[in-house]
Amino acid sequence: MAELERMWAPWRMEMIRAPKPQNYLDEGCFLCDKCKQGGDDEENLVLERGRTCYCLMNLYPYNNCHLMVVPYRHTGNLLELTNEELGEMMVMVQRWTEIIGKSAHPEGFNIGMNVGRVAGAGMSAHLHMHIVPRWNGDTNFMGVVGGSRVINQALKETWLELKKQQAEVDS
């Protein structure tokens, strides 16, 4: 068996030890801000508004067409979601997986939710489900050697393309 390779990142300890605000709502929540009615959906990258949830593009995507489905209600506790919120969230995930499939033709998807900061949630105070399309070879040397990720299309262009595909699916 090969020896486990270790990657040292001691600079991350500063982030791990830094004090974390207890109530993120007091400091603002970008997910609450993005879904305010009357906002510019294109500017906020919002693709769809449902009754209890909405879908938007990730501003810092892992891959092109990386979306998030978010309940309007600000909670970081999965157990607090109602059956209506859970149901609409999953229907919206299913719908946008279909739309991304027809628009970008990925070979697979990562779909999931990080619940809690220790589980990797960047915004642990407001639940959200990620839809990340995947292609064979989309993880390559750029992330390892270059320390960067290549996103092959501008966010606004992707938003317009997804909205066009949404209209075709809806017709």
Side-chain angles (χ1 to χ4, degrees), residues 20 24 28 33 50 56 70-72 74 76 81 83 85 88 106 108 111 115 120 126 128 142 146 150 154:
K20 312 291 186 292
Y24 292 94
D33 293 343
L56 79 159
V70 186
Y72 291 120
H74 182 89
L81 291 182
N83 287 342
E85 289 167 323
E88 185 173 49
I111 297 173
V115 180
H126 198 141
H128 52 284
M142 283 300 293
V150 177

Side-chain angles (χ1 to χ4, degrees), residues 6-166:
R6 288 175 174 70
M7 182 174 78
W8 299 98
W11 55 88
R12 290 184 46 85
M13 190 52 71
E14 182 180 340
M15 184 268 303
I16 292 167
R17 289 183 176 150
K20 312 291 186 292
Q22 292 302 309
N23 187 347
Y24 292 94
L25 190 56
D26 291 344
E27 297 198 10
C29 171
F30 75 92
L31 293 173
C32 287
D33 293 343
K34 294 282 185 183
C35 72
K36 289 182 181 162
Q37 291 294 351
D40 182 340
D41 283 353
E42 185 174 354
E43 180 67 29
N44 289 316
L45 303 174
V46 173
L47 291 161
E48 180 179 10
R49 293 175 181 274
R51 201 166 113 55
T52 65
C53 299
Y54 72 105
C55 179
L56 79 159
M57 295 175 61
N58 192 317
L59 188 57
Y60 303 103
Y62 288 115
N63 269 340
N64 194 44
C65 296
H66 177 173
L67 308 183
M68 296 183 295
V69 177
V70 186
Y72 291 120
R73 192 159 54 91
H74 182 89
T75 181
N77 185 343
L78 183 63
L79 302 177
E80 289 180 3
L81 291 182
T82 66
N83 287 342
E84 183 181 8
E85 289 167 323
L86 289 166
E88 185 173 49
M89 181 179 270
M90 289 311 299
V91 167
M92 206 172 272
V93 166
Q94 183 182 48
R95 173 178 162 72
W96 282 98
T97 300
E98 176 186 12
I99 292 168
I100 292 168
K102 290 181 177 190
S103 177
H105 311 287
E107 298 169 273
F109 290 89
N110 289 122
I111 297 173
M113 181 182 293
N114 300 321
V115 180
R117 183 162 297 281
V118 72
M123 170 50 80
S124 61
H126 198 141
L127 292 171
H128 52 284
M129 178 90 64
H130 292 268
I131 306 170
V132 182
R134 300 300 305 269
W135 294 267
N136 189 27
D138 64 13
T139 302
N140 57 34
F141 73 95
M142 283 300 293
V144 176
V145 176
S148 54
R149 189 172 290 279
V150 177
I151 306 298
N152 61 2
Q153 189 175 43
L155 289 173
K156 296 294 174 142
E157 187 178 332
T158 302
W159 187 90
L160 290 168
E161 196 170 298
L162 287 170
K163 291 299 282 183
K164 177 182 174 198
Q165 191 62 54
Q166 177 190 24

